[in-house]
Amino acid sequence: MSDFVTIRLDGEEYVVRPEDGELRVGRRVGGDVTWLDELDTSAFPASARDALARGDASDSSLLVALRGVVQAEVERGG
């Protein structure tokens, strides 16, 4: 994956950026990115980690994992 990747989940766009075994998830607000969460990718299923390594932002296992992250952010009130 390049530095930032935009992923569309359930009609919303999110930005993801892998960094040293972590994955930052955020949203674009104007011209800036507001980071919502930083995740240890070891918590992701192997297939989602493989998709990250391949740079496949459309992989279904990665999208399912990211939906969980987004849902947790919504439940926290973010």
Side-chain angles (χ1 to χ4, degrees):
M1 268 186 199
S2 63
D3 195 26
F4 292 96
V5 174
T6 301
I7 294 180
R8 195 160 186 79
L9 291 172
D10 304 325
E12 300 287 331
E13 287 189 355
Y14 295 88
V15 177
V16 297
R17 183 168 97 185
E19 291 183 344
D20 300 323
E22 292 188 345
L23 183 69
R24 294 184 81 188
V25 179
R27 298 202 60 169
R28 289 192 194 279
V29 178
D32 296 322
V33 174
T34 299
W35 296 109
L36 305 173
D37 213 342
E38 292 182 21
L39 309 160
D40 180 350
T41 56
S42 67
F44 280 15
S47 55
R49 290 192 310 271
D50 290 344
L52 279 173
R54 289 192 315 272
D56 186 357
S58 65
D59 182 272
S60 62
S61 61
L62 177 57
L63 294 176
V64 167
L66 291 174
R67 272 191 189 94
V69 171
V70 169
Q71 183 60 39
E73 181 64 24
V74 167
E75 290 177 8
R76 283 193 302 253

